[in-house]
Amino acid sequence: MKTRTERDSLGEVQVPEEALWGAQTQRSLNNFPIGREKMPQEVIEALVLVKRAAAVVNVELEVLDEDRGRAIAKAADRILSEDFSDQFPLSLWQTGSGTQTNMNVNEVIARIASDDSRLSIHPNDHVNRSQSSNDVFPTAMHVATVLAVERRLLPALDRITKVLREKSDRYRDLVKIGRTHLQDATPLTLGQEIGGWVRMMERCQSMVITSVEYLKDLALGGTAVGTGLNAPEDFGRKVAQEIGELTGVDFSTAPDKFHSLTSKDELVAFHGVLKALAADLMKIANDVRWLASGPRCGLGELIIPANEPGSSIMPGKVNPTQAEAVTMVAVRVMGNDTTVGVAASQGNFQLNVFMPVTIEAVLNSIGLLSDVMESFTDRCLAGLEADEERISQVRDRSLMLVTALAPVLGYDGAASIAKKAHSEGITLKEAAVAMGSLSGEEFDKLVRPEKMV
């Protein structure tokens, strides 16, 4: 491989000739050959947006000349619109402040801007002007998270909620047996059961919207330790406004930069909502696969789409594969939540140095939840059907319909009818008549499942 010599404050280092990065990126590549995980592209995009906004504001505040500011902004625009993904190769497992990725972005922007403008543009002196990795990286974490929520998570939540609401409306009058403790319980409608799932998704959507608001406060302007050293007055507010104009999101500068640099409580709270969403999706997916179990030897009340053969040995088998994917994603998100919580607890003095692993976990959860909701919605929930004959059969055989008799016969009297019916394998009606508790006409008047919902 042909190389060129690059220099930084530590001296010379050899860089691949075609690479747009410089010495600090190469040192990181050399020093952190750890794992397969790379810094997420969402973080790179957010960092580039920050650099573009900072260049505009630095020119406005007269700490950067207009020609260099314009060149940096144009280079950032190129990176955002073209494919430069191979120029951001650094491992996730690097310095905990994200400094090397910040410098990777600085160096690539500086190289593109210098080549395009034929000006001398320095990655630190010009691209990183008025900034520190310590305020840039947490700013990028928030921007990346907010954009991922707006672009992916909320649309996926909208879609799954809409489809579930349609199913709830469709089956609002279909009476079925309820189940608690995995045992028969009193009736409800299938629409009511699915309506509970709808409410879960609506509440999660509301909690996402509320919690993500806190992430719209940006750390930029705090520089190294939160004091704002080497940044012009009002720099943070103006950059937040500029990022807002670039993204269409109402970002603002954080009121306390000391908090922004060292604490990640806002991301912990936000990811807690993702964990709640994962828990609700786990519940819905498990309900679907339990209710669709069978088709003949299980509950069999729901019919799931037959997307692919379910077994390599058993012909004709259809498995709840989409539900299984949901539950695996839920488990991963719950694991990510532990990572985020532990990482956030490591904000020593003026800086948290677990930021790369934190943002990777957050973005991983957003991406997985978004993808799995879209897949589950389109390939399972949209095609979900009720087996009405099976639902009626199971409902009418349930012993818990006897609950309707408790106000008339008392708890113990109703229980004795259920016990007799169960032990002798007869219906509740037959048991009530045989015991002389009720006539057949009285039983039919009292035990009406459609009146019990």
Side-chain angles (χ1 to χ4, degrees):
M1 180 187 298
K2 292 184 178 180
T3 63
R4 68 177 192 274
T5 301
E6 290 283 340
R7 295 171 180 82
D8 61 11
S9 59
L10 290 182
E12 295 183 348
V13 64
Q14 295 301 305
V15 175
E17 191 173 73
E18 299 301 319
L20 299 178
W21 63 76
Q24 292 200 46
T25 301
Q26 190 62 44
R27 291 191 193 282
S28 182
L29 276 173
N30 295 345
N31 291 331
F32 296 95
I34 305 170
R36 299 178 182 177
E37 296 84 2
K38 304 298 181 185
M39 188 62 68
Q41 283 299 308
E42 297 96 328
V43 176
I44 302 300
E45 177 188 355
L47 285 167
V48 174
L49 284 168
V50 170
K51 300 300 173 181
R52 190 195 191 287
V56 171
V57 173
N58 278 326
V59 170
E60 180 184 342
L61 296 177
E62 299 181 347
V63 293
L64 182 67
D65 66 274
E66 187 172 348
D67 288 342
R68 285 189 171 87
R70 186 184 302 112
I72 291 169
K74 287 183 177 180
D77 287 339
R78 282 194 61 192
I79 294 171
L80 293 171
S81 62
E82 302 175 31
D83 184 10
F84 285 91
S85 56
D86 61 337
Q87 298 301 317
F88 305 101
L90 297 188
S91 172
L92 180 74
W93 313 110
Q94 54 171 275
T95 178
S97 61
T99 299
Q100 282 120 15
T101 288
N102 180 43
M103 284 307 305
N104 181 195
V105 172
N106 287 335
E107 289 176 343
V108 172
I109 289 177
R111 177 67 180 272
I112 295 172
S114 296
D115 288 349
D116 289 351
S117 67
R118 300 193 181 281
L119 296 170
S120 175
I121 296 176
H122 194 278
N124 296 83
D125 296 338
H126 302 129
V127 184
N128 203 61
R129 175 69 60 89
S130 309
Q131 306 154 57
S132 164
S133 298
N134 296 353
D135 65 347
V136 166
F137 201 84
T139 295
M141 291 169 70
H142 280 208
V143 171
T145 302
V146 172
L147 293 182
V149 168
E150 297 278 350
R151 294 170 178 175
R152 301 192 62 192
L153 189 67
L154 288 176
L157 266 167
D158 279 339
R159 171 81 173 126
I160 192 172
T161 304
K162 179 176 181 291
V163 169
L164 287 173
R165 190 179 293 116
E166 290 169 353
K167 296 293 179 180
S168 179
D169 291 342
R170 177 179 173 184
Y171 293 117
R172 62 184 175 184
D173 297 323
L174 179 56
V175 181
K176 56 161 288 180
I177 201 64
R179 295 177 178 87
T180 59
H181 302 272
L182 297 182
Q183 303 294 307
D184 301 347
T186 55
L188 74 166
T189 71
L190 181 57
Q192 289 173 325
E193 185 167 39
I194 297 175
W197 305 346
V198 173
R199 182 60 174 166
M200 291 176 192
M201 295 298 96
E202 289 175 340
R203 289 298 293 160
C204 285
Q205 189 173 33
S206 175
M207 289 188 291
V208 166
I209 291 170
T210 299
S211 62
V212 82
E213 283 298 312
Y214 292 99
L215 298 176
K216 294 178 182 178
D217 283 352
L218 304 182
L220 208 68
T223 63
V225 297
T227 61
L229 178 68
N230 290 354
E233 186 177 354
D234 214 23
F235 177 75
R237 184 188 67 81
K238 287 181 175 293
V239 172
Q241 183 178 1
E242 182 70 19
I243 294 172
E245 292 177 4
L246 290 170
T247 60
V249 177
D250 188 19
F251 288 107
S252 58
T253 189
D256 189 315
K257 303 299 190 296
F258 303 103
H259 166 267
S260 298
L261 268 60
T262 193
S263 176
K264 297 294 162 276
D265 52 7
E266 295 148 331
L267 283 165
V268 173
F270 169 73
H271 200 280
V273 173
L274 298 185
K275 183 172 71 172
L277 173 57
D280 280 345
L281 288 170
M282 174 82 86
K283 183 265 191 297
I284 293 169
N286 278 333
D287 280 358
V288 167
R289 62 177 174 179
W290 273 104
L291 292 171
S293 62
R296 295 188 176 180
C297 300
L299 298 181
E301 294 185 355
L302 296 180
I303 303 169
I304 56 175
N307 294 324
E308 67 276 311
S311 172
S312 62
I313 189 173
M314 293 174 279
K317 197 170 191 295
V318 175
N319 289 336
T321 52
Q322 290 294 318
E324 290 166 6
V326 171
T327 58
M328 286 191 289
V329 165
V331 168
R332 178 59 181 269
V333 171
M334 292 172 187
N336 283 344
D337 192 69
T338 299
T339 297
V340 172
V342 173
S345 73
Q346 302 303 304
N348 304 128
F349 306 119
Q350 279 69 60
L351 186 67
N352 179 288
V353 291
F354 284 67
M355 289 193 285
V357 71
T358 299
I359 190 58
E360 194 275 341
V362 171
L363 293 173
N364 179 260
S365 291
I366 293 173
L368 286 173
L369 287 168
S370 302
D371 287 347
V372 85
M373 281 192 289
E374 290 175 356
S375 186
F376 188 46
T377 300
D378 293 339
R379 296 175 179 84
C380 183
L381 297 179
L384 201 64
E385 298 286 338
D387 187 332
E388 298 192 26
E389 182 179 351
R390 173 65 175 170
I391 286 174
S392 299
Q393 179 188 51
V394 172
R395 177 195 66 215
D396 295 340
R397 291 181 61 244
S398 173
L399 296 176
M400 290 305 101
L401 297 179
V402 80
T403 306
L405 301 179
V408 177
L409 303 178
Y411 186 94
D412 292 338
S416 64
I417 291 174
K419 290 177 182 178
K420 180 177 179 66
H422 183 54
S423 64
E424 297 181 14
I426 59 178
T427 65
L428 289 172
K429 181 177 181 179
E430 290 169 338
V433 172
M435 294 173 65
S437 302
L438 295 167
S439 67
E441 292 77 13
E442 290 171 326
F443 183 93
D444 289 340
K445 183 179 180 180
L446 293 170
V447 182
R448 298 178 61 186
E450 71 278 7
K451 297 294 185 182
M452 299 172 69
V453 300

